[in-house]
């Protein structure tokens, strides 16, 4: 899982760099790139929350810890809701569709990274 997260974070940094480049070069696309950046931040936070939750479940299944109840799905939904609220509150700064699409960048990157990692193993 750590190797996948490192690959995904590295790829996300390239996406963020591309968004910053678009923001700097194309002023008419600034709102869209800022929305993508906001969504990418929320999506990466969700990925780290999910990674932590998977580690807790793994430790619990291995018998190394007690079962912890929490708000796993709730916290991830709240993160996306926070991104949507920020984009809704500041429409002159962030594009709502771009912010919501940006929330899905990290899960897509993780899916592709896992697929490539599994293909290389076999």
């Amino acid at each position: 899982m750590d190797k996948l997260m490192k690959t995904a974070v590295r790829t996300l940094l390239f996406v963020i760099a591309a968004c910053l480049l678009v923001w700097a070069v194309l002023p008419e696309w600034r709102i869209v790139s800022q929305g993508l950046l906001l969504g990418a931040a929320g999506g990466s936070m969700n990925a780290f929350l999910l990674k932590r939750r998977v580690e807790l479940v793994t430790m619990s299944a291995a018998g190394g810890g007690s079962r912890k109840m929490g708000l796993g799905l709730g916290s991830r939904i709240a993160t996306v809701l926070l991104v949507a609220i920020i984009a809704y509150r500041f429409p002159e700064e962030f594009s709502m569709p771009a912010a919501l699409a940006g929330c899905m960048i990290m899960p897509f990157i993780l899916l592709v990274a896992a697929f490539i990692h599994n293909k290389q193993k076999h």
Side-chain angles (χ1 to χ4, degrees), residues 94-110:
F94 303 104
S95 168
M96 174 73 81
L100 293 177
C103 287
M104 294 306 297
I105 291 174
M106 190 66 162
F108 181 73
I109 290 172
L110 278 168

PDB file of all heavy atoms in Angstrom, residues 94-110:
ATOM      1  N   PHE A  94     -13.394  29.554  -7.629  1.00  0.00           N
ATOM      2  CA  PHE A  94     -13.345  28.116  -7.898  1.00  0.00           C
ATOM      3  C   PHE A  94     -14.519  27.691  -8.764  1.00  0.00           C
ATOM      4  O   PHE A  94     -15.643  28.122  -8.542  1.00  0.00           O
ATOM      5  CB  PHE A  94     -13.399  27.311  -6.591  1.00  0.00           C
ATOM      6  CG  PHE A  94     -12.323  27.653  -5.611  1.00  0.00           C
ATOM      7  CD1 PHE A  94     -12.600  28.429  -4.500  1.00  0.00           C
ATOM      8  CD2 PHE A  94     -11.036  27.206  -5.797  1.00  0.00           C
ATOM      9  CE1 PHE A  94     -11.616  28.749  -3.588  1.00  0.00           C
ATOM     10  CE2 PHE A  94     -10.040  27.516  -4.892  1.00  0.00           C
ATOM     11  CZ  PHE A  94     -10.331  28.291  -3.788  1.00  0.00           C
ATOM     12  N   SER A  95     -14.254  26.840  -9.715  1.00  0.00           N
ATOM     13  CA  SER A  95     -15.302  26.246 -10.534  1.00  0.00           C
ATOM     14  C   SER A  95     -15.832  25.010  -9.805  1.00  0.00           C
ATOM     15  O   SER A  95     -15.061  24.103  -9.467  1.00  0.00           O
ATOM     16  CB  SER A  95     -14.740  25.851 -11.900  1.00  0.00           C
ATOM     17  OG  SER A  95     -15.637  25.041 -12.591  1.00  0.00           O
ATOM     18  N   MET A  96     -17.153  24.993  -9.569  1.00  0.00           N
ATOM     19  CA  MET A  96     -17.749  23.856  -8.849  1.00  0.00           C
ATOM     20  C   MET A  96     -17.558  22.529  -9.588  1.00  0.00           C
ATOM     21  O   MET A  96     -17.121  21.548  -8.978  1.00  0.00           O
ATOM     22  CB  MET A  96     -19.230  24.124  -8.593  1.00  0.00           C
ATOM     23  CG  MET A  96     -19.967  22.954  -7.979  1.00  0.00           C
ATOM     24  SD  MET A  96     -19.583  22.668  -6.262  1.00  0.00           S
ATOM     25  CE  MET A  96     -20.637  23.876  -5.525  1.00  0.00           C
ATOM     26  N   PRO A  97     -17.850  22.449 -10.911  1.00  0.00           N
ATOM     27  CA  PRO A  97     -17.626  21.168 -11.593  1.00  0.00           C
ATOM     28  C   PRO A  97     -16.159  20.729 -11.576  1.00  0.00           C
ATOM     29  O   PRO A  97     -15.868  19.545 -11.417  1.00  0.00           O
ATOM     30  CB  PRO A  97     -18.100  21.422 -13.029  1.00  0.00           C
ATOM     31  CG  PRO A  97     -19.018  22.586 -12.936  1.00  0.00           C
ATOM     32  CD  PRO A  97     -18.515  23.409 -11.791  1.00  0.00           C
ATOM     33  N   ALA A  98     -15.255  21.683 -11.703  1.00  0.00           N
ATOM     34  CA  ALA A  98     -13.834  21.339 -11.670  1.00  0.00           C
ATOM     35  C   ALA A  98     -13.419  20.869 -10.278  1.00  0.00           C
ATOM     36  O   ALA A  98     -12.622  19.938 -10.146  1.00  0.00           O
ATOM     37  CB  ALA A  98     -12.990  22.532 -12.100  1.00  0.00           C
ATOM     38  N   ALA A  99     -13.957  21.489  -9.235  1.00  0.00           N
ATOM     39  CA  ALA A  99     -13.623  21.081  -7.876  1.00  0.00           C
ATOM     40  C   ALA A  99     -14.129  19.670  -7.593  1.00  0.00           C
ATOM     41  O   ALA A  99     -13.420  18.855  -7.004  1.00  0.00           O
ATOM     42  CB  ALA A  99     -14.210  22.071  -6.863  1.00  0.00           C
ATOM     43  N   LEU A 100     -15.339  19.371  -8.027  1.00  0.00           N
ATOM     44  CA  LEU A 100     -15.876  18.027  -7.808  1.00  0.00           C
ATOM     45  C   LEU A 100     -15.145  16.995  -8.659  1.00  0.00           C
ATOM     46  O   LEU A 100     -14.932  15.861  -8.221  1.00  0.00           O
ATOM     47  CB  LEU A 100     -17.374  18.008  -8.078  1.00  0.00           C
ATOM     48  CG  LEU A 100     -18.213  18.833  -7.088  1.00  0.00           C
ATOM     49  CD1 LEU A 100     -19.674  18.810  -7.488  1.00  0.00           C
ATOM     50  CD2 LEU A 100     -18.022  18.357  -5.675  1.00  0.00           C
ATOM     51  N   ALA A 101     -14.760  17.370  -9.869  1.00  0.00           N
ATOM     52  CA  ALA A 101     -13.966  16.459 -10.701  1.00  0.00           C
ATOM     53  C   ALA A 101     -12.583  16.259 -10.099  1.00  0.00           C
ATOM     54  O   ALA A 101     -12.020  15.156 -10.160  1.00  0.00           O
ATOM     55  CB  ALA A 101     -13.852  17.010 -12.117  1.00  0.00           C
ATOM     56  N   GLY A 102     -12.028  17.307  -9.498  1.00  0.00           N
ATOM     57  CA  GLY A 102     -10.720  17.199  -8.855  1.00  0.00           C
ATOM     58  C   GLY A 102     -10.722  16.239  -7.681  1.00  0.00           C
ATOM     59  O   GLY A 102      -9.702  15.628  -7.363  1.00  0.00           O
ATOM     60  N   CYS A 103     -11.882  16.093  -7.024  1.00  0.00           N
ATOM     61  CA  CYS A 103     -11.983  15.128  -5.916  1.00  0.00           C
ATOM     62  C   CYS A 103     -11.810  13.697  -6.402  1.00  0.00           C
ATOM     63  O   CYS A 103     -11.475  12.809  -5.617  1.00  0.00           O
ATOM     64  CB  CYS A 103     -13.336  15.267  -5.216  1.00  0.00           C
ATOM     65  SG  CYS A 103     -13.463  16.750  -4.213  1.00  0.00           S
ATOM     66  N   MET A 104     -12.047  13.469  -7.683  1.00  0.00           N
ATOM     67  CA  MET A 104     -11.947  12.112  -8.230  1.00  0.00           C
ATOM     68  C   MET A 104     -10.598  11.837  -8.903  1.00  0.00           C
ATOM     69  O   MET A 104     -10.398  10.746  -9.430  1.00  0.00           O
ATOM     70  CB  MET A 104     -13.073  11.877  -9.240  1.00  0.00           C
ATOM     71  CG  MET A 104     -14.454  11.886  -8.614  1.00  0.00           C
ATOM     72  SD  MET A 104     -14.618  10.736  -7.251  1.00  0.00           S
ATOM     73  CE  MET A 104     -14.368   9.192  -8.069  1.00  0.00           C
ATOM     74  N   ILE A 105      -9.691  12.787  -8.872  1.00  0.00           N
ATOM     75  CA  ILE A 105      -8.379  12.581  -9.492  1.00  0.00           C
ATOM     76  C   ILE A 105      -7.576  11.524  -8.741  1.00  0.00           C
ATOM     77  O   ILE A 105      -7.052  10.581  -9.332  1.00  0.00           O
ATOM     78  CB  ILE A 105      -7.590  13.908  -9.582  1.00  0.00           C
ATOM     79  CG1 ILE A 105      -8.235  14.837 -10.595  1.00  0.00           C
ATOM     80  CG2 ILE A 105      -6.137  13.657  -9.947  1.00  0.00           C
ATOM     81  CD1 ILE A 105      -7.608  16.218 -10.634  1.00  0.00           C
ATOM     82  N   MET A 106      -7.494  11.659  -7.421  1.00  0.00           N
ATOM     83  CA  MET A 106      -6.672  10.735  -6.627  1.00  0.00           C
ATOM     84  C   MET A 106      -7.198   9.299  -6.664  1.00  0.00           C
ATOM     85  O   MET A 106      -6.389   8.379  -6.839  1.00  0.00           O
ATOM     86  CB  MET A 106      -6.559  11.253  -5.194  1.00  0.00           C
ATOM     87  CG  MET A 106      -5.550  10.506  -4.380  1.00  0.00           C
ATOM     88  SD  MET A 106      -3.886  10.766  -5.020  1.00  0.00           S
ATOM     89  CE  MET A 106      -2.921  10.258  -3.629  1.00  0.00           C
ATOM     90  N   PRO A 107      -8.507   9.046  -6.525  1.00  0.00           N
ATOM     91  CA  PRO A 107      -8.957   7.652  -6.646  1.00  0.00           C
ATOM     92  C   PRO A 107      -8.654   7.053  -8.020  1.00  0.00           C
ATOM     93  O   PRO A 107      -8.283   5.881  -8.130  1.00  0.00           O
ATOM     94  CB  PRO A 107     -10.468   7.728  -6.411  1.00  0.00           C
ATOM     95  CG  PRO A 107     -10.666   8.954  -5.621  1.00  0.00           C
ATOM     96  CD  PRO A 107      -9.601   9.900  -6.058  1.00  0.00           C
ATOM     97  N   PHE A 108      -8.777   7.853  -9.075  1.00  0.00           N
ATOM     98  CA  PHE A 108      -8.460   7.367 -10.417  1.00  0.00           C
ATOM     99  C   PHE A 108      -6.971   7.057 -10.531  1.00  0.00           C
ATOM    100  O   PHE A 108      -6.579   6.027 -11.095  1.00  0.00           O
ATOM    101  CB  PHE A 108      -8.891   8.392 -11.467  1.00  0.00           C
ATOM    102  CG  PHE A 108      -8.629   7.947 -12.865  1.00  0.00           C
ATOM    103  CD1 PHE A 108      -9.403   6.961 -13.454  1.00  0.00           C
ATOM    104  CD2 PHE A 108      -7.595   8.499 -13.602  1.00  0.00           C
ATOM    105  CE1 PHE A 108      -9.158   6.531 -14.748  1.00  0.00           C
ATOM    106  CE2 PHE A 108      -7.346   8.086 -14.894  1.00  0.00           C
ATOM    107  CZ  PHE A 108      -8.128   7.103 -15.467  1.00  0.00           C
ATOM    108  N   ILE A 109      -6.125   7.928  -9.981  1.00  0.00           N
ATOM    109  CA  ILE A 109      -4.679   7.695 -10.007  1.00  0.00           C
ATOM    110  C   ILE A 109      -4.340   6.417  -9.236  1.00  0.00           C
ATOM    111  O   ILE A 109      -3.520   5.607  -9.685  1.00  0.00           O
ATOM    112  CB  ILE A 109      -3.917   8.905  -9.428  1.00  0.00           C
ATOM    113  CG1 ILE A 109      -4.015  10.101 -10.375  1.00  0.00           C
ATOM    114  CG2 ILE A 109      -2.459   8.571  -9.175  1.00  0.00           C
ATOM    115  CD1 ILE A 109      -3.467  11.387  -9.804  1.00  0.00           C
ATOM    116  N   LEU A 110      -4.973   6.221  -8.071  1.00  0.00           N
ATOM    117  CA  LEU A 110      -4.727   5.007  -7.293  1.00  0.00           C
ATOM    118  C   LEU A 110      -5.169   3.756  -8.047  1.00  0.00           C
ATOM    119  O   LEU A 110      -4.491   2.727  -8.002  1.00  0.00           O
ATOM    120  CB  LEU A 110      -5.450   5.086  -5.950  1.00  0.00           C
ATOM    121  CG  LEU A 110      -4.739   5.879  -4.866  1.00  0.00           C
ATOM    122  CD1 LEU A 110      -5.672   6.125  -3.697  1.00  0.00           C
ATOM    123  CD2 LEU A 110      -3.486   5.159  -4.418  1.00  0.00           C
TER     124      LEU A 110
END
